Amino acid sequence: KQEVTQIPAALSVPEGENLVLNCSFTDSAIYNLQWFRQDPGKGLTSLLLIQSSQREQTSGRLNASLDKSSGRSTLYIAASQPGDSATYLCAGQFGNEKLTFGTGTRLTIIP
Amino acid sequence: KAGVTQTPRYLIKTRGQQVTLSCSPISGHRSVSWYQQTPGQGLQFLFEYFSETQRNKGNFPGRFSGRQFSNSRSEMNVSTLELGDSALYLCASSLVGGRKFEQYFGPGTRLTVT
């Protein structure tokens, strides 16, 4: 059974700091990993998709990496801003093609 | 290009009733997946449709069903509602539902069962 884990469940960081969110998965036969953000009561906004053949993807202040051998992905956010406060979810797509989600990290950026 | 749309956005139903939720994918996207999000269970996969066929199904009872139309729009139906069905229901679309394609989510339908 594929499992995706995100630790910690919550994180508070002063504005301007760089930070890393973690995601781990149990099945190394991962096809891709996608990072999302979710604002309270809202849907999911796709941030980055990393295919299994890639090691990392970048978009603006965001950088996501994928290490299949260790079963880990990280989302790096540079120069954090209060608008980055949200819940961040990672999701892996494995052999059965559905997304398996982690439980999320609730990020608070302190002004 | 318009994003994924879901209707209605909010819904209040009584136990025992049934409900139908609608999802319109991004233009050109042929795969639609449905997920249930609850505080206790997180995001769980319900089913995926591609070209009007259910390709994948999660571990939900038969009260949960869906369908997809020729224009790729999808509906999900929940019959005999239970209190535990209260959740945010999200649909996602992708080009072909394959392993390489990014999934885009709609804003969700908030269902409350009383």
Side-chain angles (χ1 to χ4, degrees), chain B residues 14 20 37 47 58-59 70 78 86 96-97 100 107 113:
Chain B
T14 303
T20 299
Q37 186 177 32
F47 27 65
N59 296 324
S70 59
V78 187
S86 294
V96 292
K100 296 183 180 180
V113 182

PDB file of all heavy atoms in Angstrom, chain B residues 14 20 37 47 58-59 70 78 86 96-97 100 107 113:
ATOM      1  N   THR B  14     -30.197  16.378   4.136  1.00  0.00           N
ATOM      2  CA  THR B  14     -30.617  15.630   5.318  1.00  0.00           C
ATOM      3  C   THR B  14     -30.253  14.163   5.133  1.00  0.00           C
ATOM      4  O   THR B  14     -30.244  13.649   3.994  1.00  0.00           O
ATOM      5  CB  THR B  14     -32.134  15.781   5.523  1.00  0.00           C
ATOM      6  OG1 THR B  14     -32.456  17.171   5.625  1.00  0.00           O
ATOM      7  CG2 THR B  14     -32.590  15.068   6.783  1.00  0.00           C
ATOM      8  N   THR B  20     -26.402  15.117  -6.061  1.00  0.00           N
ATOM      9  CA  THR B  20     -25.617  15.048  -7.290  1.00  0.00           C
ATOM     10  C   THR B  20     -24.733  16.280  -7.389  1.00  0.00           C
ATOM     11  O   THR B  20     -25.220  17.404  -7.265  1.00  0.00           O
ATOM     12  CB  THR B  20     -26.519  14.970  -8.533  1.00  0.00           C
ATOM     13  OG1 THR B  20     -27.318  13.784  -8.457  1.00  0.00           O
ATOM     14  CG2 THR B  20     -25.676  14.916  -9.804  1.00  0.00           C
ATOM     15  N   GLN B  37     -12.545  15.128   0.864  1.00  0.00           N
ATOM     16  CA  GLN B  37     -11.641  15.643   1.880  1.00  0.00           C
ATOM     17  C   GLN B  37     -12.390  15.865   3.183  1.00  0.00           C
ATOM     18  O   GLN B  37     -13.381  16.618   3.224  1.00  0.00           O
ATOM     19  CB  GLN B  37     -10.981  16.948   1.432  1.00  0.00           C
ATOM     20  CG  GLN B  37      -9.916  17.451   2.414  1.00  0.00           C
ATOM     21  CD  GLN B  37      -9.207  18.706   1.936  1.00  0.00           C
ATOM     22  OE1 GLN B  37      -9.788  19.536   1.261  1.00  0.00           O
ATOM     23  NE2 GLN B  37      -7.932  18.839   2.276  1.00  0.00           N
ATOM     24  N   PHE B  47     -13.072   8.125  -7.484  1.00  0.00           N
ATOM     25  CA  PHE B  47     -13.002   7.458  -8.779  1.00  0.00           C
ATOM     26  C   PHE B  47     -12.481   8.395  -9.844  1.00  0.00           C
ATOM     27  O   PHE B  47     -12.404   9.597  -9.644  1.00  0.00           O
ATOM     28  CB  PHE B  47     -14.360   6.873  -9.223  1.00  0.00           C
ATOM     29  CG  PHE B  47     -15.577   7.565  -8.680  1.00  0.00           C
ATOM     30  CD1 PHE B  47     -15.858   8.885  -9.027  1.00  0.00           C
ATOM     31  CD2 PHE B  47     -16.453   6.901  -7.848  1.00  0.00           C
ATOM     32  CE1 PHE B  47     -16.973   9.522  -8.531  1.00  0.00           C
ATOM     33  CE2 PHE B  47     -17.582   7.534  -7.354  1.00  0.00           C
ATOM     34  CZ  PHE B  47     -17.844   8.846  -7.690  1.00  0.00           C
ATOM     35  N   GLY B  58     -11.825   4.092  -5.871  1.00  0.00           N
ATOM     36  CA  GLY B  58     -11.292   4.013  -4.526  1.00  0.00           C
ATOM     37  C   GLY B  58     -12.150   3.121  -3.644  1.00  0.00           C
ATOM     38  O   GLY B  58     -13.080   2.459  -4.112  1.00  0.00           O
ATOM     39  N   ASN B  59     -11.831   3.105  -2.368  1.00  0.00           N
ATOM     40  CA  ASN B  59     -12.520   2.226  -1.423  1.00  0.00           C
ATOM     41  C   ASN B  59     -13.695   2.914  -0.752  1.00  0.00           C
ATOM     42  O   ASN B  59     -13.676   3.193   0.445  1.00  0.00           O
ATOM     43  CB  ASN B  59     -11.526   1.723  -0.376  1.00  0.00           C
ATOM     44  CG  ASN B  59     -10.453   0.863  -0.984  1.00  0.00           C
ATOM     45  OD1 ASN B  59     -10.695   0.095  -1.912  1.00  0.00           O
ATOM     46  ND2 ASN B  59      -9.234   1.002  -0.473  1.00  0.00           N
ATOM     47  N   SER B  70     -20.164  12.865 -22.754  1.00  0.00           N
ATOM     48  CA  SER B  70     -19.316  12.933 -23.955  1.00  0.00           C
ATOM     49  C   SER B  70     -18.513  14.230 -24.037  1.00  0.00           C
ATOM     50  O   SER B  70     -17.488  14.300 -24.693  1.00  0.00           O
ATOM     51  CB  SER B  70     -20.165  12.763 -25.216  1.00  0.00           C
ATOM     52  OG  SER B  70     -21.159  13.765 -25.279  1.00  0.00           O
ATOM     53  N   VAL B  78     -24.323  10.675  -4.566  1.00  0.00           N
ATOM     54  CA  VAL B  78     -24.264   9.953  -3.300  1.00  0.00           C
ATOM     55  C   VAL B  78     -25.699   9.698  -2.874  1.00  0.00           C
ATOM     56  O   VAL B  78     -26.500  10.635  -2.725  1.00  0.00           O
ATOM     57  CB  VAL B  78     -23.530  10.738  -2.197  1.00  0.00           C
ATOM     58  CG1 VAL B  78     -23.339   9.861  -0.959  1.00  0.00           C
ATOM     59  CG2 VAL B  78     -22.189  11.251  -2.697  1.00  0.00           C
ATOM     60  N   SER B  86     -20.477  14.210   5.155  1.00  0.00           N
ATOM     61  CA  SER B  86     -20.175  15.641   5.180  1.00  0.00           C
ATOM     62  C   SER B  86     -18.687  15.832   4.885  1.00  0.00           C
ATOM     63  O   SER B  86     -17.830  15.280   5.579  1.00  0.00           O
ATOM     64  CB  SER B  86     -20.509  16.239   6.550  1.00  0.00           C
ATOM     65  OG  SER B  86     -21.894  16.193   6.791  1.00  0.00           O
ATOM     66  N   VAL B  96      -5.084  13.468 -20.056  1.00  0.00           N
ATOM     67  CA  VAL B  96      -5.492  12.097 -20.367  1.00  0.00           C
ATOM     68  C   VAL B  96      -5.482  11.207 -19.141  1.00  0.00           C
ATOM     69  O   VAL B  96      -5.704  10.025 -19.244  1.00  0.00           O
ATOM     70  CB  VAL B  96      -4.587  11.462 -21.454  1.00  0.00           C
ATOM     71  CG1 VAL B  96      -4.785  12.131 -22.776  1.00  0.00           C
ATOM     72  CG2 VAL B  96      -3.145  11.468 -21.023  1.00  0.00           C
ATOM     73  N   GLY B  97      -5.246  11.780 -17.949  1.00  0.00           N
ATOM     74  CA  GLY B  97      -5.239  10.967 -16.750  1.00  0.00           C
ATOM     75  C   GLY B  97      -4.057  10.032 -16.670  1.00  0.00           C
ATOM     76  O   GLY B  97      -4.045   9.114 -15.877  1.00  0.00           O
ATOM     77  N   LYS B 100       1.910  11.056 -16.421  1.00  0.00           N
ATOM     78  CA  LYS B 100       2.806  12.191 -16.553  1.00  0.00           C
ATOM     79  C   LYS B 100       2.101  13.524 -16.452  1.00  0.00           C
ATOM     80  O   LYS B 100       2.729  14.558 -16.490  1.00  0.00           O
ATOM     81  CB  LYS B 100       3.539  12.121 -17.891  1.00  0.00           C
ATOM     82  CG  LYS B 100       4.456  10.929 -18.025  1.00  0.00           C
ATOM     83  CD  LYS B 100       5.199  10.974 -19.348  1.00  0.00           C
ATOM     84  CE  LYS B 100       6.129   9.799 -19.515  1.00  0.00           C
ATOM     85  NZ  LYS B 100       6.844   9.837 -20.803  1.00  0.00           N
ATOM     86  N   PRO B 107     -12.692  24.270  -7.158  1.00  0.00           N
ATOM     87  CA  PRO B 107     -12.817  24.863  -5.826  1.00  0.00           C
ATOM     88  C   PRO B 107     -13.530  23.959  -4.825  1.00  0.00           C
ATOM     89  O   PRO B 107     -13.466  24.213  -3.626  1.00  0.00           O
ATOM     90  CB  PRO B 107     -13.631  26.126  -6.088  1.00  0.00           C
ATOM     91  CG  PRO B 107     -14.440  25.792  -7.287  1.00  0.00           C
ATOM     92  CD  PRO B 107     -13.573  24.899  -8.127  1.00  0.00           C
ATOM     93  N   VAL B 113     -24.262  17.263   5.749  1.00  0.00           N
ATOM     94  CA  VAL B 113     -25.399  16.379   5.961  1.00  0.00           C
ATOM     95  C   VAL B 113     -25.868  16.522   7.407  1.00  0.00           C
ATOM     96  O   VAL B 113     -25.075  16.379   8.345  1.00  0.00           O
ATOM     97  CB  VAL B 113     -25.025  14.915   5.667  1.00  0.00           C
ATOM     98  CG1 VAL B 113     -26.238  14.012   5.839  1.00  0.00           C
ATOM     99  CG2 VAL B 113     -24.470  14.778   4.254  1.00  0.00           C
TER     100      VAL B 113
END
